[in-house]
Amino acid sequence: MNDDPDERAITDPATEAFVAHRNLLFTVAYEMLGSAADAEDVLQETWLRWVEVDPEQVRDPRAYLVRITTRQSLNRLRTLSRRKEAYVGPWLPEPVLTTPDVAEDVELAESVSMALMLVLETLSPTERAVFVLREVFDVDYDEIAAAVDKSAAAVRQIAHRARRHVDARRPRAAVSASVSRAALDSFRRALETGDLQGLLDVLAPDVVLLGDGGGIKQAARRPIVSADKVARYLIGSSGKTTATITISPTPVNGNPAFVLRLDDEIDGVLAFRIEDTLITGLYYVRNPEKLTRVESETPLTLH
């Protein structure tokens, strides 16, 4: 018998409930882990535990499934933290191609943006779980307490601490779609033409570039800071290849991004952090193991 709910006919309440909430559970796991591959593993583990539960004893299948997913994600976070310690160069979240409705949901788009997910990386596993469940999915404190094995009072304190930490580091304010589009159009034109001044005009003075090659593809091993250094690095890097470079605007993690191809082969995903009218962060994922979700859409949801 196949235990994968996506392969089974939906004939029983347990399968129906899991499939109905699958996109939500994936979103919870992905926001906690920053890895779509690990989120899929968590969903499989959640399913295996869910089918062992007596549905007659479950009042709220959605809440129960979120609780299982949270616990499995916390277990997986410990494994991920060990992998990150041995990772070559900066570790960036795994980018996913998202559906148009994600960009239209401002809260969801911000919560899965590369910029915010990097901020979440600075939280402890429990802080991240509490922040994601409370601030993103509006789960009540008692339910979060059950998911993370803490008292409701402790969860309130953790939520307050995590919110303060994130607020101090998240982008100051969301920019409009038109402002974002204008900045990225200018950036793209300057990069395609090798226009150093054009890049300097659209980069914030203290812009930071992070590159993730995972030791498989060449990428900056350390953050590159300042408009001049970032601009020269980008133009220098594009000038080293003899391949034809194609820059395609693509909705990644609910936000505008570029997929870069060399001779029609995906080379990487370039995501951005934009504040006011300038680019303050660039995140270039080149690790091929993290580029498997940018050719087919991944549905995400808060509900």
Side-chain angles (χ1 to χ4, degrees):
M1 180 178 175
N2 192 335
D3 280 335
D4 187 339
D6 290 335
E7 300 294 332
R8 291 176 48 181
I10 302 177
T11 56
D12 63 273
T15 306
E16 288 180 1
F18 186 89
V19 172
H21 299 300
R22 189 188 190 286
N23 292 345
L24 167 68
L25 301 179
F26 178 87
T27 308
V28 170
Y30 176 65
E31 293 207 20
M32 284 187 60
L33 300 170
S35 165
D38 285 283
E40 290 289 1
D41 288 344
V42 162
L43 256 63
Q44 185 66 20
E45 293 160 1
T46 298
W47 164 251
L48 293 175
R49 282 157 180 77
W50 172 242
V51 293
E52 295 175 353
V53 175
D54 179 1
E56 297 295 325
Q57 303 300 313
V58 178
R59 287 181 301 152
D60 186 344
R62 178 184 183 274
Y64 200 96
L65 282 163
V66 168
R67 187 188 308 172
I68 299 175
T69 300
T70 300
R71 288 177 173 172
Q72 296 308 311
S73 295
L74 281 169
N75 291 339
R76 182 65 56 136
L77 268 176
R78 298 182 181 99
T79 302
L80 263 180
S81 65
R82 290 192 292 271
R83 271 193 278 168
K84 290 172 187 175
E85 288 174 3
Y87 201 77
V88 178
W91 186 96
L92 292 175
E94 181 181 354
V96 296
L97 177 66
T98 43
T99 54
D101 61 300
V102 176
E104 293 167 3
D105 187 329
V106 176
E107 290 184 11
L108 176 57
E110 186 200 9
S111 72
V112 296
S113 69
M114 196 73 73
L116 186 60
M117 293 191 77
L118 274 172
V119 175
L120 297 185
E121 287 294 317
T122 63
L123 297 172
S124 72
T126 301
E127 286 174 337
R128 185 166 185 168
V130 170
F131 180 88
V132 166
L133 293 177
R134 182 61 187 170
E135 298 298 318
V136 179
F137 296 96
D138 198 29
V139 177
D140 67 58
Y141 289 111
D142 288 337
E143 186 57 41
I144 298 173
V148 301
D149 293 323
K150 302 281 186 184
S151 68
V155 165
R156 286 179 184 274
Q157 291 182 336
I158 294 169
H160 177 72
R161 184 169 66 243
R163 188 185 311 117
R164 186 173 56 200
H165 179 95
V166 172
D167 286 345
R169 292 162 177 79
R170 74 198 314 167
R172 289 186 291 273
V175 298
S176 68
S178 60
V179 168
S180 177
R181 188 165 51 248
L184 297 192
D185 285 347
S186 296
F187 176 89
R188 181 184 178 189
R189 284 195 303 272
L191 187 58
E192 287 177 332
T193 59
D195 180 1
L196 178 63
Q197 187 57 50
L199 283 177
L200 292 173
D201 289 343
V202 76
L203 297 176
D206 57 351
V207 63
V208 178
L209 182 148
L210 298 175
D212 180 345
I216 302 172
K217 286 282 194 75
Q218 185 175 359
R221 294 287 184 92
R222 293 182 177 83
I224 300 175
V225 183
S226 86
D228 184 67
K229 289 180 181 178
V230 169
R232 293 184 186 280
Y233 174 82
L234 290 170
I235 290 179
S237 298
S238 62
K240 290 178 181 177
T241 180
T242 58
T244 300
I245 303 174
T246 306
I247 303 174
S248 306
T250 308
V252 171
N253 289 54
N255 292 268
F258 294 139
V259 172
L260 276 70
R261 291 177 170 83
L262 301 181
D263 289 339
D264 295 327
E265 294 289 330
I266 291 181
D267 181 69
V269 169
L270 185 60
F272 301 86
R273 171 172 173 159
I274 301 173
E275 298 178 73
D276 297 325
T277 60
L278 298 176
I279 296 169
T280 58
L282 297 97
Y283 315 109
Y284 192 24
V285 181
R286 294 194 73 205
N287 184 347
E289 294 177 354
K290 294 185 177 183
L291 299 175
T292 62
R293 309 285 295 226
V294 295
E295 292 192 278
S296 59
E297 294 177 336
T298 297
L300 303 173
T301 183
L302 296 179
H303 308 288

